[in-house]
Amino acid sequence: MSVSLQKGQRISLEKSGGALSMVRMGLGWDAVKKKGFFGSREREIDLDASCVLLADGGVADVIYFGKLTSDDGSVRHTGDNLTGAGDGDDESVIVDLGRLPVHVTSLVFTVSSFNGQTFNEVDNAFCRLVDETDGSEMARFTLTGGGAHTAMIMARLYRHSGGWKMNAIGEPAQGRTFQDMLPAIAAYS
């Protein structure tokens, strides 16, 4: 059963019957439909999902369209979607929780507009956490409203008392890449 999260909400990711081992953070969006004289049209929106692995108060590794797999192989980006077209997840990051180095304490998931398009041009943006072992959606965080920002810190997975929790962040940011957002991301280490 999926939990619909609100901004700032935290949930435990404990799984009945065993430990959670493999998850996918799916990110999706659509372009806002523009109404014109000849009907509505949709622009292509190229948002880029990134995952920043934090340890010891700093960045341990980063996964994004230019580096699809973490150095240790525990985190994998499934590839770059240049348009946002289609239903479901537009970009995904798969995390093997059991393979994550023990010093990694948090994973922060972001989206940014490499072309500088603002979230005023984005509709139906969401992130969702899926248990990769059975395909079930565990949690979903849907963004509401647009804004003049070009990036968003979406969510964070973090270690807590021997397990994992998810925090729906939904904080607007400015930047074309995760590097531009690193000062804001550092607050979640």
Side-chain angles (χ1 to χ4, degrees):
M1 182 170 127
S2 181
V3 174
S4 181
L5 298 174
Q6 303 298 316
K7 182 177 179 174
Q9 187 175 1
R10 299 169 193 260
I11 62 164
S12 173
L13 298 178
E14 292 181 18
K15 180 179 175 182
S16 61
L20 189 62
S21 61
M22 184 95 79
V23 295
R24 175 172 29 101
M25 181 66 76
L27 299 141
W29 64 88
D30 294 316
V32 169
K33 289 186 167 88
K34 303 278 185 183
K35 294 188 181 193
F37 187 69
F38 296 106
S40 64
R41 60 183 171 84
E42 203 172 284
R43 283 184 67 186
E44 293 179 346
I45 300 286
D46 179 15
L47 295 182
D48 296 315
S50 300
C51 177
V52 180
L53 286 71
L54 300 171
D56 304 319
V59 175
D61 204 348
V62 180
I63 291 68
Y64 66 107
F65 67 87
K67 182 183 178 206
L68 297 177
T69 305
S70 62
D71 292 339
D72 61 21
S74 65
V75 182
R76 184 173 48 89
H77 193 297
T78 60
D80 195 11
N81 178 320
L82 301 174
T83 66
D87 293 330
D89 301 338
D90 291 309
E91 293 191 12
S92 294
V93 176
I94 298 170
V95 181
D96 184 340
L97 296 170
R99 287 183 60 194
L100 272 174
V102 294
H103 70 285
V104 173
T105 55
S106 297
L107 296 96
V108 177
F109 297 89
T110 67
V111 290
S112 56
S113 171
F114 188 76
N115 295 325
Q117 294 162 304
T118 71
F119 274 71
N120 285 328
E121 300 175 63
V122 175
D123 199 15
N124 303 321
F126 68 88
C127 68
R128 68 188 193 114
L129 191 70
V130 175
D131 181 345
E132 276 294 286
T133 59
D134 64 11
S136 63
E137 181 177 292
M138 300 175 68
R140 178 180 286 258
F141 174 47
T142 303
L143 297 177
T144 56
H149 51 282
T150 58
M152 178 77 64
I153 300 172
M154 296 290 285
R156 173 176 75 126
L157 295 182
Y158 62 98
R159 293 183 194 267
H160 181 64
S161 300
W164 289 91
K165 285 193 169 195
M166 179 178 172
N167 176 208
I169 298 172
E171 280 300 317
Q174 294 297 333
R176 294 168 32 127
T177 66
F178 72 88
Q179 291 103 328
D180 299 332
M181 294 185 286
L182 284 176
I185 292 169
Y188 300 100
S189 61

